[in-house]
Amino acid sequence: MLRRSHKKSKKGCVQCKRRHVKCDEGRPTCLLCTMSNRDCSFASDPQQPQDTNSSTSDPSSREGSLLNPDTNPRSTSATSFSNSHETSFDSVVNMEHMELFIHGITNKDLFSLGDRIEHSQETLNICLKESAKAPYLLHQVLAFSARHLAAIHPERSARYLDQAVKLQTRAVFLFNSTRREVDASNCLPILLFSVTLGHHLLADALATRTPDGLDGFLTHYVQCVEMNWGLYRLTLSAWPLLLNTELEPVLSWSSRQSSKDPIGNHCEPIVQLIKDSTALSNKEKEVCHEAIQYLQLGFDGIEEDVASRYRMIFQWTMLASPELTSLLATKRPEALILLSYYALLLHHGRSLWQIGDTGVYLLGLIMDYLAPEWHIWLEYPRRMMRQK
């Protein structure tokens, strides 16, 4: 069974405890250490020799300094920057920041999920304006810009991923440090921060390729869904305030899209499976049916070729009930088959930089895990992927 996030970890790794952050207790390397490229060890494990070049042995590294460049060393040999003096992300501004900023404001694919939204440039302008007033938003925008550059420049991905991790960590730290009750003065930057962070988390989750196969993917994806659900609840709490901001046209349009009634029949097989299941409780069936409705909206958008045809790829991680993550984390067969339909939705959007071959990869993981008697329920997504 996969571990789910919890309020306090009593058996967390040494590094997470030292940094006073929540550990998922994953072994041999926890999620946070994996993402930040740290050596991971647990108190119950035999003492491992430390690399004299590692951040934990560097006396100059500051414990708890989220953006100290020494805490996440990665090779930058593929870049034009010198390895001998990596630029500090604690400085007010540097050339690496400028590169990320310029990329963020000039690349139309950064936040795109294949949408053709007339307000996209206006939204970007609002985001830039609010970033100047909210450092946590600025850091997250730069982090996501670095994440995009890592995807489109694989020869320099190590450098850009390193920047993305540091900037995102700093963004979350700043957000938590400055967080207060949501009001008219801060609801807009909080919304933009939540959306940008949500897109970043999804891009990271969909890029997961680990030796653990399905377990590794689900660990990252479930955490992404749970965090996006928290961000979504935060946004909902400020909804009346947000409708009085400059983003009202975009928000109203998005709300109308996600509140439509599904009309297609792409999900009929999985609807029947959930209905006839004797292993799921009535509550679990309700959770699955709600998730299926949103998936069908995603397929409807693709069939209609509307401006929002791929938006449900992102929105599903927020709109699906959080109880669905329990079914996924425990790898319930019905939930995995439901996830295979999400894999098909991903396959439709494979041209997007966040997705690529993730749909095919995820369906393959599910096929390998489920017993043969369940494979008949995977026939529709398999057939559709072969046709595309």
Side-chain angles (χ1 to χ4, degrees):
M1 180 185 299
L2 295 178
R3 293 188 180 274
R4 303 185 64 218
S5 60
H6 43 277
K7 293 183 179 179
K8 182 175 288 188
S9 170
K10 295 182 179 179
K11 300 179 181 179
C13 75
V14 174
Q15 287 73 14
C16 285
K17 286 185 176 181
R18 179 173 59 81
R19 296 171 60 229
H20 305 290
V21 295
K22 184 168 57 181
C23 180
D24 73 335
E25 302 178 20
R27 293 175 183 251
T29 304
C30 78
L31 177 62
L32 290 177
C33 286
T34 299
M35 292 179 66
S36 56
N37 199 31
R38 289 184 171 86
D39 292 331
C40 187
S41 61
F42 292 80
S44 58
D45 293 340
Q47 186 66 29
Q48 298 179 354
Q50 290 187 344
D51 184 349
T52 57
N53 293 322
S54 71
S55 61
T56 56
S57 63
D58 184 356
S60 65
S61 65
R62 292 181 291 125
E63 184 172 317
S65 177
L66 299 177
L67 290 182
N68 181 0
D70 291 332
T71 63
N72 196 0
R74 291 179 186 265
S75 171
T76 57
S77 58
T79 75
S80 59
F81 292 88
S82 170
N83 285 331
S84 61
H85 56 283
E86 183 178 358
T87 308
S88 171
F89 283 92
D90 283 326
S91 58
V92 176
V93 67
N94 57 53
M95 293 306 296
E96 291 182 343
H97 288 153
M98 291 302 298
E99 177 193 16
L100 300 178
F101 183 77
I102 292 171
H103 179 73
I105 65 176
T106 59
N107 195 290
K108 295 181 179 180
D109 293 332
L110 183 59
F111 290 97
S112 173
L113 280 174
D115 299 337
R116 299 186 297 272
I117 303 175
E118 58 180 305
H119 302 290
S120 58
Q121 187 58 49
E122 297 173 28
T123 303
L124 177 59
N125 292 339
I126 294 171
C127 185
L128 294 175
K129 181 177 67 176
E130 294 297 326
S131 294
K133 299 183 289 185
Y136 59 84
L137 175 58
L138 177 59
H139 278 75
Q140 179 52 51
V141 170
L142 294 178
F144 194 48
S145 179
R147 185 65 185 82
H148 182 236
L149 284 166
I152 64 176
H153 294 296
E155 74 282 1
R156 287 176 280 171
S157 63
R159 169 202 168 198
Y160 288 126
L161 287 174
D162 181 58
Q163 292 176 327
V165 168
K166 291 175 180 177
L167 286 163
Q168 185 185 80
T169 303
R170 181 65 174 171
V172 173
F173 173 78
L174 290 171
F175 179 75
N176 290 335
S177 299
T178 59
R179 175 84 181 278
R180 63 181 190 275
E181 185 176 350
V182 181
D183 56 32
S185 69
N186 62 17
C187 63
L188 202 50
I190 287 177
L191 168 68
L192 294 167
F193 172 77
S194 300
V195 171
T196 309
L197 178 59
H199 275 269
H200 194 150
L201 293 171
L202 182 61
D204 282 342
L206 297 182
T208 300
R209 304 288 188 274
T210 70
D212 294 337
L214 184 62
D215 283 353
F217 185 91
L218 286 178
T219 296
H220 287 77
Y221 185 73
V222 164
Q223 185 177 58
C224 167
V225 171
E226 290 179 338
M227 292 187 70
N228 274 332
W229 175 252
L231 295 170
Y232 178 59
R233 285 192 302 171
L234 182 64
T235 300
L236 284 181
S237 69
W239 193 255
L241 297 171
L242 290 166
L243 292 180
N244 289 318
T245 68
E246 300 169 86
L247 280 181
E248 185 277 329
V250 177
L251 296 175
S252 296
W253 176 85
S254 179
S255 179
R256 288 194 298 271
Q257 298 301 313
S258 59
S259 60
K260 289 181 177 180
D261 291 328
I263 58 176
N265 58 3
H266 303 73
C267 297
E268 276 189 2
I270 184 67
V271 169
Q272 193 62 43
L273 170 66
I274 300 301
K275 180 180 178 181
D276 295 341
S277 173
T278 58
L280 296 175
S281 67
N282 289 336
K283 175 61 177 176
E284 290 170 337
K285 288 183 179 182
E286 290 177 11
V287 167
C288 290
H289 281 302
E290 181 185 48
I292 292 170
Q293 283 188 316
Y294 287 122
L295 280 178
Q296 185 58 60
L297 281 178
F299 290 121
D300 290 346
I302 291 171
E303 290 290 328
E304 297 170 9
D305 194 31
V306 297
S308 59
R309 63 191 184 280
Y310 296 135
R311 286 179 68 83
M312 195 52 68
I313 289 173
F314 172 67
Q315 290 183 334
W316 198 65
T317 64
M318 298 185 301
L319 297 175
S321 172
E323 283 81 4
L324 181 65
T325 62
S326 298
L327 300 176
L328 290 173
T330 53
K331 292 182 287 191
R332 298 283 289 274
E334 296 88 350
L336 292 179
I337 293 170
L338 197 160
L339 189 63
S340 74
Y341 278 69
Y342 181 67
L344 176 58
L345 196 62
L346 291 173
H347 188 65
H348 281 289
R350 61 191 179 278
S351 62
L352 304 178
W353 71 268
Q354 303 97 319
I355 299 172
D357 67 348
T358 302
V360 172
Y361 173 73
L362 178 56
L363 181 60
L365 294 179
I366 295 170
M367 283 282 298
D368 290 342
Y369 177 80
L370 290 176
E373 58 264 29
W374 292 98
H375 287 187
I376 187 174
W377 299 103
L378 300 173
E379 181 53 35
Y380 178 74
R382 289 179 66 194
R383 184 175 73 252
M384 295 305 296
M385 284 192 190
R386 287 195 296 265
Q387 293 176 2
K388 297 294 180 181

